[in-house]
Amino acid sequence: MLMQELVDNKVHDETRQGEAFLPQTSAGKAFRKHFYIESYGCAMNFADSEVVASILQDNGFGATRNAEEADLIFINTCSIREKAEQTVRKRLTEFRKLKKQKPGMLVGVLGCMAERLKSKFLEEEKLVDMVVGPDAYRTLPGLVEEAETGQKAVNVMLSRDETYADIAPIRLNSNGVTSFVSIMRGCNNMCAFCVVPFTRGRERSRDMFSIINECEDLFSKGYREVTLLGQNVDSYYWVNSSGNAVTFAMLLEKVAQVSPLLRVRFSTSHPKDITDEVLFTMAKYENICNYIHLPVQSGSTRILQLMNRTYTREWYIAKVNRIKEILPDCGLSTDVITGFCTETEADHQDTLSLFNYCRYDLAYMYFYSERPGTLAARRYADDVPENVKKRRLQEIIDMHRLHSLESMQRDVNKTFKVLIEGNSKKSDQFWAGRTDHNKMVIFPKENHHLNKGDYILVKVEECTAGTLLGKISG
Ligand code: SAM
Ligand code: SF4
């Protein structure tokens, strides 16, 4: 697989693709039926599955991690690249076998692929009983009832105001320390390559009070880190009942004030929208992590214009400089696409030189995959051969690998405040936690009586490409 994540990161976690969820809260409760849900794609989808689980549980359905024992199987899908859709289709053929063994079983497709293909899904994938778009999850209980009568149930209506603000998500497979909190839905940006505006609809921001309540509730339950989620968090804009507007900088400050012990992260920032106010708010609060995910997509101004990103290479570089000026120690990550329509070797060299300038701590790197219906699919030929797209991607990956290793090596011999997330995967004699820069740190427990959710100073002694290894300091 060419998309590569060199450092373990939670916002888009490749290791979680296809994860099936089992909420601890359902243990011991009697449910009339059981559902199994598997999620693909970005963090928003994983957060949505927690909303779906909450809606289903309120209607008498309990979660199971075992697809064979489920009455309902849901697959929360991603359409961002063709490969993501192929993965889902393959998974559906596996569910076909299960359905043959258990004829009453219902299969539902949720999320972006459901929205993109709508009822075509019912024709293409004969075994699917329900097709439900990302704004229609409240209607799931009714759709299940309809499907139970043998009819196919579809709701792919997009909404201008649905934010699921009042639904308390059920934390699924949570470590009990870190959590996503959705602050907005949809996207108005129309980047030429991107299917999101078509599958997730218009941008809308969630009621600030419901966000703060959710963060306070998480804190009271022992959580110590929230990641505020949206396709474009910096354009968060919510107007309260007295007509006063709340911007992302204001929201960030309110969340930071929930407790100095609650770490705050956010993703994703569009370079055109992140403001100085946001950067100053980050500088003001120690508990807002010094880390920004700032997708560049390309280092060539010509390609950026075709992509409709609304900034130039120089403008992006000026933004990175401004970030470093206000937050000298800020970690930086990005997304990039190689082989977008008409991309030349010179454009590609521009991307490499931009990477060399920014020296990202982390990068999500993709080759361009044309998505039906997008601006690019309608206007431009997908004219860069696949082998060229992949070769350019590999060159970027190779360069980034050096930068990310450099970034890990810079941390050796330094001491960091680490939030403990739980035991290390390899041994319960070691803790695993993260630095402010979202880097995983593994260190021996020794005789300190610590718990997950505690903060501790750790001195880093060595590193691998993706992990820091250290010892409790002093
Ligand atoms: N809203 C975020 C943003 O603006 O960066 C994230 C959007 S998307 C879920 C995550 C990443 O997928 C994008 O930043 C982009 O690099 C990549 N992506 C989107 N469409 C793509 C396509 N058609 N082919 C390849 N990569 C794509
Ligand atoms: Fe897609 Fe652009 Fe919106 Fe991100 S900002 S979701 S890349 S349209």
Side-chain angles (χ1 to χ4, degrees), residues 187 189-191 193-194 196-197 231 270 297 309:
C187 184
N189 275 331
M190 289 292 172
C191 298
F193 51 80
C194 186
V196 168
Q231 293 298 348
H270 193 298
Q297 313 298 2
R309 287 292 286 184

Side-chain angles (χ1 to χ4, degrees), residues 23-71:
Q24 277 122 25
T25 49
S26 67
K29 279 195 188 172
F31 291 107
R32 67 184 172 97
K33 287 199 168 177
H34 283 92
F35 70 92
Y36 169 90
I37 186 163
E38 219 173 79
S39 307
Y40 292 84
C42 65
M44 293 291 295
N45 249 13
F46 284 77
D48 276 4
S49 290
E50 298 188 338
V51 166
V52 167
S54 174
I55 293 168
L56 290 172
Q57 189 165 300
D58 281 352
N59 284 274
F61 299 96
T64 169
R65 203 196 285 258
N66 183 357
E68 285 86 29
E69 72 175 40
D71 306 287

